[in-house]
Amino acid sequence: MTPGVRPLIAGNWKMHGLRADGLALARAVAKGGGGAELLVCPPFTLLREVATALEGCAAVAVGAQDCHAAAKGAHTGDVSAPMLRDAGARFVILGHSERRADHGEGDAAVLAKTEAAMAVGLVPIVCVGESEAERLAGEAEAVVTRQLDGSLPEGFAASGGVVAYEPVWAIGTGRTPTEADITAMHAAIRARLVARFGEAGAKLRILYGGSVKPANAAPILALENVDGALVGGASLVPADFLAIAAAAKAT
Ligand code: 13P
């Protein structure tokens, strides 16, 4: 944790949830709270409904999982940042490795989307992380640094932007880096943020993501420069998500 920074525990629901179970999940999460800020990121189809269900619930914010770089236009199937704002989102996840892999999103695209999000006051959560081959080749830090440099626009710090470090090989696998490796990578990210944004970079939240579960949350969240978690699978189970949030609060 970074002193004086409120942790953020974000649930990335990915492509999960029909109306009934999405609403039930949101309502269950709303019963939690405490020291950490909570965020749920449902699929587009549930965004408005979840936002409505959580209206008046200061403890839990709503976010989206992607946006287009343009505010509107002929982009069939895409959703813009103003549309997300209009639907009740306050945050948006950008550059998730699944988008980078499934949709060929490179750093320039992520940067453009991040600018679009910031332009309408959405807080961007920009994801970075190396593949297993890159880690084995000793290139993890270089890859993450390159992604940060290419994906974060000017003004990112002023927007309160969040960085999520998600090693690709730890997502959905039950495997996590060692505590030493997480600490080293988060320190490198912090150094880059400070170099780029000065004092403001020292207070930006850096989340860890990749197989965060109730059983490993407390030690991970206690690490220096780990200011919360981006949670996939465990965010679909209310008790697990709230246990992770409680671990953040306890540190
Ligand atoms: P898991 O928690 O399922 O590993 O997913 C992590 C993730 O990709 C969150 O964005």
Side-chain angles (χ1 to χ4, degrees), residues 10-14 93 96-98 127 164 166-168 170-175 208-213 229-235 244:
N12 176 7
W13 295 4
K14 307 192 180 185
I93 298 168
H96 191 283
S97 63
E98 287 151 16
C127 302
E166 298 206 308
V168 178
I171 294 176
T173 60
R175 297 162 59 207
Y208 169 78
S211 297
V212 177
K213 309 285 178 206
L230 183 52
V231 185
S235 75
I244 293 166

Side-chain angles (χ1 to χ4, degrees), residues 12 16 22 29-30 35 40 52 80 98 108 123 162 179 200 204 209 223 231 239:
N12 176 7
H16 293 285
V29 170
V40 292
T52 302
S80 74
E98 287 151 16
V123 177
V162 177
E179 291 179 13
L204 294 180
L223 299 173
V231 185

